[in-house]
Amino acid sequence: MAQVPQTFDAPAVRTWCGLALRALGRAREEIDAINVYPVADGDTGTNLYLTVESAAAAVEAVFAAHELKSGDGGDGSPGPTLADAARAMAHGALIGARGNSGTILAQLLRGMAQVFAADGECAHTDGHGLRLALRHAADSARQAVAHPVEGTVLSVASAAAEAATGTEGDCGAVARAAYEGACAALAATPGQLEVLERAGVVDAGGRGLVTVLAALVETLTGRPPGEPPFPSGAASAPGAPGAGPAAGALPTVPHARTGDTGDDAPGVCARSASGPAFEVTYLLDAEDEAVARLRERLDALGDSLVVVGGDGLWNVHVHVDDAGAAVEAGIEAGRPHRIRITHFGADDAHTTGAVAPRERAQRAVVAVVPGEGLAGLYTEAGAIAVLARPGEPPASGELVEAVRRAHAREVVLLPNDDELRHTAAAAAEQVREEGVRVALIPTHSAVQGIAALAVHEPGRRFDEDVVAMTSAAGETRYAEIIVAERQSWTTAGICQAGDVLGLVDGDVAVIGQDVTATAEAVLDRMLAAGGELVTLVLDDEVPDSVADRLQARVREAYLAVDTVVYRGGRQGALLLIGVE
């Protein structure tokens, strides 16, 4: 039997994140299916998966950075401290948190990290330290929620901490006690929330936390806790509503029932049809005092308010009718970014008992795009667009979520960026295991994606469509105009910070001082080999005069070559150029 840690250290944090991510991947669909509170939008499992994926990626980055600093890691130098790994885990979860439950999970991990960091540079903690961490995690998560509700993930977290507090022994014993306490609390949730009892399910967020704690047990003992099926399909344990399962049992429950929509049973959602219409989330750079005022402002605007974080960076989640007011409140408090506004829709659980399963489409296109304008363009063309803001590339989980949202039997995936090819490949592999046929077209730029979309025909055979789209993308040369951030060597010579760079097919071809002149030089290089159509995609910061001059250049020097111009939004590059 492999050795397992008797204490909790940085490698254990790394292992825990990996095991939790895999476990949530397996349980995602089940958790999504029982998501009825606070809104029955069927995404709690997916949101928890994306949150932990971000946490795991941050921890891996800490280990990779340390290995790079110390060579191959075999020089005997110590690895990251427990505090380093725990802080990375918490920060990753914070910036990647999705939805109500994901935001609360991020605060739970932050609470644990605060206790581990208090020990300074200690390499590990023992059972006592883990007990303190679980207690502080549950307390801090409860404080982050404006109006805590029993029968939710908060109840499960508190029960886990309480069970751990009363346990002696090493970290493995503490983790198992916390897990068993969480299982008992999860089984009791239908007795605490009427909406859960009516639907015949346990709380989805609590179910996700139990999964994460099961991964902690496996990390610290070397084996997962037993998961025998829960008796007879009831959502609560036999006997009294508060009774829990046998030690080590993980409650399994049926999908939400769909028939309770009469006047005496108003469906599975805890809210009425007049409940808030939007979910608003954003990261916020702000001081503590400003966040305290923000909480009051948002609490008056809506419900399901959760604000987590600290040290100048916060994750804000709220359900409101006036999404603009929620964002404006964030602007008054500091600098909001990664803003996400989701409309619950007319057919969601605000107005119906449960969402009926919809029939799968035959084919869909999912594309990563670098700006809001391009996202709109791709959407108009029938694709599902995944926005990649500058410096914020999507994780594989976001691509998986987009493919699932497409709800199609066949999906064409356009990464539109060299650096996203491996991420897209990982996403494609995951959804293939779910029975979706996926083709990954290796597009290097959004302009190649535009060319591929132009020849996309859902009515023809999948293989033929993929070949046509791949051919169109491959026949499109691509370029971008950017501004150099620092002095560096390039294939065109040495550039200085502030120089305008013209990249053709990924390599620097032109170094200039003026955007228009550099773009003209790039166009001349590209059209020297011929072409029939030039596509220009301008960043919001680039004036229309640049496009006007480039169009005039094409008309004057290259007869029979057409030009189309789009606004890409805040896309990172000043200008994207495609030549077909």
Side-chain angles (χ1 to χ4, degrees):
M1 178 177 171
Q3 283 191 329
V4 295
Q6 300 303 307
T7 57
F8 193 65
D9 56 11
V13 172
R14 187 184 197 181
T15 301
W16 181 27
C17 286
L19 289 174
L21 184 62
R22 287 193 287 275
L24 285 170
R26 294 190 297 269
R28 181 195 60 79
E29 289 187 351
E30 175 198 335
I31 298 172
D32 281 347
I34 64 172
N35 172 201
V36 300
Y37 182 87
V39 177
D41 47 358
D43 62 0
T44 291
T46 299
N47 288 340
L48 289 170
Y49 178 88
L50 293 173
T51 302
V52 173
E53 181 182 49
S54 183
V59 173
E60 290 300 321
V62 165
F63 275 85
H66 180 271
E67 290 167 4
L68 182 64
K69 182 178 179 181
S70 60
D72 62 2
D75 58 358
S77 60
T81 64
L82 171 60
D84 291 336
R87 275 193 294 259
M89 173 182 66
H91 181 74
L94 177 67
I95 64 174
R98 299 286 292 272
N100 192 69
S101 294
T103 307
I104 293 173
L105 177 61
Q107 187 67 8
L108 287 167
L109 297 179
R110 177 179 171 80
M112 294 184 72
Q114 287 174 327
V115 173
F116 298 145
D119 288 337
E121 298 304 306
C122 288
H124 57 79
T125 192
D126 56 12
H128 174 68
L130 185 56
R131 285 194 296 271
L132 292 178
L134 291 167
R135 179 75 272 166
H136 184 63
D139 292 344
S140 61
R142 191 169 285 268
Q143 292 165 8
V145 178
H147 302 285
V149 175
E150 299 307 323
T152 65
V153 63
L154 297 176
S155 303
V156 176
S158 294
E162 191 65 30
T165 300
T167 300
E168 298 297 328
D170 62 15
C171 286
V174 172
R176 179 170 287 279
Y179 168 79
E180 292 172 357
C183 283
L186 178 63
T189 56
Q192 296 171 291
L193 270 180
E194 182 184 356
V195 61
L196 301 178
E197 185 174 28
R198 186 183 303 120
V201 298
V202 294
D203 179 66
R207 171 67 175 87
L209 179 57
V210 165
T211 301
V212 172
L213 289 173
L216 181 62
V217 174
E218 184 175 359
T219 298
L220 294 168
T221 67
R223 62 182 66 178
E227 299 181 3
F230 201 65
S232 71
S236 56
L250 184 61
T252 57
V253 295
H255 285 15
R257 293 193 293 262
T258 59
D260 293 337
T261 56
D263 293 338
D264 58 339
V268 298
C269 184
R271 305 189 199 171
S272 69
S274 60
F278 298 96
E279 178 185 60
V280 178
T281 62
Y282 49 80
L283 293 180
L284 179 71
D285 298 329
E287 299 300 324
D288 291 6
E289 297 78 8
V291 171
R293 294 191 296 271
L294 175 66
R295 289 178 191 269
E296 294 180 3
R297 175 92 179 270
L298 293 178
D299 194 27
L301 286 174
D303 59 25
S304 294
L305 173 60
V306 186
V307 182
V308 304
D311 302 319
L313 179 63
W314 307 82
N315 193 309
V316 179
H317 171 281
V318 67
H319 294 171
V320 293
D321 278 323
D322 191 343
V327 175
E328 288 172 7
I331 294 172
E332 290 177 8
R335 186 181 74 89
H337 48 110
R338 291 201 189 183
I339 300 169
R340 294 180 184 274
I341 300 174
T342 303
H343 186 251
F344 290 125
D347 350 338
D348 78 349
H350 290 305
T351 55
T352 63
V355 179
R358 57 190 175 98
E359 187 176 349
R360 283 188 179 273
Q362 182 59 35
R363 190 172 308 159
V365 177
V366 174
V368 181
V369 293
E372 295 88 347
L374 276 172
L377 176 66
Y378 271 73
T379 301
E380 288 176 10
I384 291 179
V386 179
L387 189 59
R389 296 179 176 86
E392 300 178 4
S396 64
E398 290 183 77
L399 299 185
V400 169
E401 181 187 20
V403 172
R404 288 170 177 152
R405 194 165 66 246
H407 203 61
R409 298 180 181 88
E410 302 165 341
V411 173
V412 179
L413 188 56
L414 306 175
N416 290 340
D417 188 333
D418 273 341
E419 295 183 0
L420 287 175
R421 289 182 63 182
H422 294 300
T423 301
E429 187 62 31
Q430 183 171 340
V431 293
R432 284 188 188 111
E433 294 176 358
E434 300 173 9
V436 179
R437 191 178 183 190
V438 182
L440 173 61
I441 297 179
T443 47
H444 307 282
S445 169
V447 291
Q448 288 189 316
I450 292 173
L453 266 179
V455 301
H456 169 53
E457 290 186 14
R460 64 184 163 200
R461 291 179 57 244
F462 184 62
D463 291 340
E464 292 176 356
D465 198 30
V466 170
V467 169
M469 294 176 72
T470 302
S471 177
E475 291 171 0
T476 302
R477 299 192 68 194
Y478 61 97
E480 59 181 335
I481 308 299
I482 63 173
V483 176
E485 296 181 355
R486 63 184 68 86
Q487 182 188 61
S488 60
W489 289 90
T490 76
T491 51
I494 300 175
C495 72
Q496 305 296 326
D499 283 349
V500 180
L501 307 181
L503 285 73
V504 178
D505 295 339
D507 293 323
V508 177
V510 180
I511 300 175
Q513 303 300 314
D514 176 76
V515 173
T516 304
T518 304
E520 285 183 327
V522 167
L523 263 178
D524 287 340
R525 284 176 177 255
M526 298 177 76
L527 288 171
E532 299 176 354
L533 176 66
V534 171
T535 301
L536 304 175
V537 185
L538 280 68
D539 185 89
D540 281 349
E541 296 182 2
V542 178
D544 290 336
S545 58
V546 173
D548 294 341
R549 178 64 197 126
L550 295 176
Q551 285 181 292
R553 174 68 178 170
V554 172
R555 283 196 304 269
E556 294 164 3
Y558 304 97
L559 299 177
V561 176
D562 295 323
T563 306
V564 293
V565 179
Y566 303 109
R567 279 286 176 183
R570 294 166 293 178
Q571 61 188 23
L574 296 175
L575 179 66
L576 300 177
I577 303 173
V579 174
E580 301 175 49

